[in-house]
DNA sequence: AAGTTACA
DNA sequence: GATT
């Protein structure tokens, strides 16, 4: 962490295992504006279902915006400057960047906005975000659309966990001691929102990659 | 193991 | 069926 924190960042309503939770930070019109921006990102860089290193397809569909996108295939996890099709990732939409600065208080911008699209039945197992160069930078997670059960463990795998339901407009910050906490999505409550065309949930994850 | 499934 |  090399930059000063900006005063006036909002206080989290609750903290779960060190993860800061800002329920309902985005009102419905702000959510709709973000969804419109992300729809344009997905039109330019269509979501794909990545494979793991063992050739198993993930249930979540992914794309990215920014200098880097997170990808997974039989070669493993990494950041790439291009969508698998070869096109550059579209820029991170300005309202997404504004949300990052508001909630982190940082001057430094993220260089990746990972877009996770959870259609009916999609889940994500417990994992750590550890493909970035400097864990001093926080991660910001934005929930849009259907509600989802978010599970939070510890730094070590296999320990106890807690869970909470995330709703559209909720924002999380994983930073400091909670930067490397295990987290995942147990399940998505289909039909709990009409925000996403075709149904489901979109999660934006903002990171500083290098 | 950013996989899935089983089980108490 | 939901949860851990």
């Amino acid at each position: 962490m090399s930059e000063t924190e900006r005063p006036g960042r909002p206080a989290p309503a609750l903290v779960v295992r060190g993860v800061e939770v800002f329920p309902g930070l985005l009102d419905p019109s702000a959510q709709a504006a973000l969804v419109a921006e992300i729809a344009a990102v997905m039109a330019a860089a269509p979501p794909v279902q990545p494979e793991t290193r063992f050739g198993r397809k993930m249930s979540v569909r992914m794309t990215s915006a920014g200098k880097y996108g997170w990808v997974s295939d039989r070669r493993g996890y990494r950041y790439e400057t291009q969508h698998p099709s070869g096109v550059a990732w579209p820029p991170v939409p300005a309202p997404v960047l504004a949300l990052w600065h508001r909630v982190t208080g940082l001057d430094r911008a993220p260089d990746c906005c990972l877009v996770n699209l959870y259609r009916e039945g999609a889940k994500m197992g417990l994992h750590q975000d550890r493909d970035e160069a400097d864990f001093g930078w926080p991660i910001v997670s934005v929930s849009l659309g259907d509600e989802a059960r978010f599970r939070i463990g510890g730094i070590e795998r296999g320990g106890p966990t807690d869970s909470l339901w995330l709703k559209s407009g909720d924002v999380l910050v994983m930073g400091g001691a909670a930067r490397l906490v295990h987290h995942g999505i147990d399940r998505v409550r289909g039909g709990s929102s009409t925000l996403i065309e075709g149904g489901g949930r979109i999660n934006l994850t903002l990171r500083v990659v290098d």
Side-chain angles (χ1 to χ4, degrees):
Chain A
M1 186 93 66
S2 56
E3 302 201 24
T4 53
E5 297 240 345
R6 178 181 301 154
R9 70 182 282 257
L14 67 149
V15 179
V16 180
R17 292 184 165 272
V19 176
E20 298 178 324
V21 185
F22 300 85
L25 188 70
L26 301 172
D27 66 25
S29 73
Q31 296 169 36
L34 285 191
V35 168
E37 297 280 2
I38 297 308
V41 167
M42 293 192 296
V48 300
Q49 263 183 281
E51 288 181 7
T52 67
R53 162 162 66 112
F54 310 105
R56 298 293 211 101
K57 235 174 211 174
M58 297 181 186
S59 55
V60 175
R61 292 160 195 275
M62 299 182 173
T63 187
S64 294
K67 179 180 178 186
Y68 295 107
W70 187 87
V71 299
S72 175
D73 57 25
R74 274 149 297 191
R75 297 200 286 132
Y77 310 145
R78 63 197 180 277
Y79 284 97
E80 292 277 3
T81 57
Q82 295 181 345
H83 183 272
S85 68
V87 302
W89 304 105
V92 181
V96 175
L97 293 176
L99 177 60
W100 161 276
H101 292 298
R102 163 150 78 121
V103 81
T104 65
L106 295 168
D107 292 323
R108 167 65 133 104
D111 44 28
C112 173
C113 173
L114 177 60
V115 179
N116 288 151
L117 173 61
Y118 293 78
R119 303 234 101 127
E120 190 72 44
K123 294 174 284 188
M124 188 174 293
L126 274 183
H127 68 279
Q128 294 172 298
D129 291 2
R130 54 178 306 155
D131 299 314
E132 302 76 31
D134 182 353
F135 302 138
W137 299 106
I139 291 204
V140 173
S141 166
V142 184
S143 293
L144 297 165
D146 280 342
E147 298 165 13
R149 186 145 201 110
F150 185 69
R151 188 155 297 277
I152 311 176
I155 307 296
E156 303 298 326
R157 173 168 263 281
T161 63
D162 286 302
S163 65
L164 66 148
W165 280 97
L166 295 178
K167 297 185 168 69
S168 193
D170 293 353
V171 176
L172 305 180
V173 178
M174 301 172 52
R179 173 60 180 75
L180 286 172
V181 97
H182 283 81
H183 58 283
I185 292 293
D186 290 354
R187 71 183 201 88
V188 173
R189 194 135 66 194
S192 55
S193 165
T194 56
L195 188 67
I196 309 295
E197 177 82 13
R201 169 178 192 259
I202 287 174
N203 180 69
L204 308 180
T205 314
L206 305 168
R207 309 97 186 268
V208 173
V209 173
D210 65 7

